[in-house]
Amino acid sequence: MTEPLSPGEYRDLLSRALEGTVDADTRPPTSHTLYMPDAHRAALYVDSTVVQGGRGVGKTFWARSLLDPALREAAAVEYGISRLRRLRVSSGHGMDMGSPHYPGPLALYGLVADGALPDEIWYAVLLTALGQPELKESAEWADRVAWVRANPGPAERTIAQADAEASADDVVHLLVFDGLEHLHHDRATTDQLIAGLLRVALRMRFGTRNIRFKVFARPDMFDTAKQLFPDASKLSGNAAYLEWSRTDLYGLLFHHLGNENDDDSARRFRRITGGWEPGPDEDRYWQADRYVPPAALRNDAKAQTALFERIADKFMGSNVRQGRPYTWLPNHLMDSKDRISPRSFLKALAVAAETTRTSHPSHARALHHDAIRSGVREASTVRVDQVCEDTPWVELAIKPLAGCQVPLAQGKVIGIWKDRDLPRELREESARYVQSDRPELVRTGPRHPDDLRRLVQELIDLGVLRRRDKEVDDFSLLDLPDIYRLAFGLGRMGGIPLTGS
């Protein structure tokens, strides 16, 4: 009989397994970290051209997984998508410095400054991936783009020939595009580049049988591109979304615990919980030491609750009225659209393990309920840092509300903004980044900085604010979910306090 893990062993396993999860964009995926929620299957369909997702939901993870033959094979097996085995995959854009497959930041800025059209740039990327001889011989992207502009006929014939050859070989050329928020420091230019990318993607989707693009994009960027390129709406029908349910999140947690590298506690965890299946052997490109959690630990809330209550306190206090950690934790990490970033979820648990170790070392569970609250506070700080990096105007809008208590009347919010002359601050912020000498900084501004009521709606659309009332007027109440409220310094009667004291 396998000896159960002690609270300290569970705590240590959590710390080891969750180390570095917040830095997922800088860590390549491995067979151990590859977890496949059922809801993400559509994102891997070859004909799903656009995959939408916010910060920290797995866009870069899946983009890199598609580029890795071993991880593609894993997805083909687990998701049952045999077409993933018949791909020739190239990177069309990403964060790798010095990539030969696409222009880096400086080269791209130079192309735009010299008047290159977005479609010309992406056709140069496509033709390079397809092996156009003249483009392979040139080391400079400016020369490649110039060749595309000067040789439309040969360019189109190359695409048609590559499509016919791929059809004969029963394969698909797939180009993967990620990191689009880093295309250019000017948001308007970025929007035009994405619109051009989607135009070329649409032509490949409907004009060829065996050449496809896979574009990972934030929803706000896809929405803007659709306004610039009306035909982009044709890509909406087969667009996929990276979303995480509560059971997906806990399945991800248990996957990490059961797949911690060469770890005795992980092996014991698998034996205790039972039903873990090893991956296929190495001749199918999949490491044999990858284990798939049983269905109950992936999809069954009752089974997940029972297991998590071995790890965390049963209640978020002395009794059930204060909530159960299994539901309480994800509920307090949701944005106003009920979306949860797995990165926030795992960060909260990693902090909870460390806080329990330092503040409650002899506790009867691996995670103390107060430590879970500390984890949510830290996850809020990380999330707010991320949203302010992506959309710094959000910080300008919400920071003046610090010290207030939610819910707040819309009229009070607008009054605070008027006192600060928020429209002027937003215009100055936008001008500052357009003129910045740091072109790697890409910033998004509100569409209507001078219309404060429409600004409220933009924050609701982003998931930062929530409207409590059906009637929209100055008396309607606005709320901030805890994932933003805590780090921005707003109070809530009876809610998680801003500090642990």
Side-chain angles (χ1 to χ4, degrees), residues 396-397 400-401 404 410-425 452:
L396 289 176
L401 307 180
C404 296
Q410 176 173 293
K412 182 174 182 179
V413 172
I414 291 176
I416 292 172
W417 287 346
K418 286 180 177 178
D419 290 343
R420 284 287 297 265
D421 196 1
L422 181 61
R424 175 186 57 79
E425 291 187 352
L452 296 182

Side-chain angles (χ1 to χ4, degrees), residues 17 28-36 61 70-71 74 78 251-263 266 270 276 286-293:
T30 67
S31 62
H32 299 286
T33 57
L34 183 63
Y35 179 70
M36 290 174 264
F61 187 91
L71 302 182
E78 196 162 326
L252 173 66
L253 167 65
F254 300 143
H255 174 92
H256 276 288
L257 297 183
N259 279 282
E260 177 57 12
N261 276 331
D262 193 25
D263 191 294
R270 293 196 301 269
W276 292 70
W286 193 351
Q287 294 180 16
D289 54 352
R290 178 183 185 273
Y291 295 87
V292 180

Side-chain angles (χ1 to χ4, degrees), residues 91-93 100-129 135 140-149 175 177 183-184 189-190 192-194 196-200 203 213:
S91 180
H93 187 268
H101 303 291
Y102 50 84
L106 294 178
L108 190 55
Y109 304 148
L111 292 172
V112 171
D114 290 341
L117 298 177
D119 299 49
E120 295 171 342
I121 295 171
W122 300 122
Y123 269 116
V125 169
L126 169 60
L127 289 163
T128 298
L135 273 60
E140 299 299 328
W141 281 98
D143 295 336
R144 294 176 181 179
V145 170
W147 186 92
V148 170
R149 184 184 304 124
L175 272 70
F177 298 82
L183 283 171
H184 202 275
T189 302
T190 295
Q192 292 290 347
L193 286 167
I194 294 175
L197 172 59
L198 294 177
R199 273 193 296 270
V200 180
R203 291 167 192 154
F213 284 17

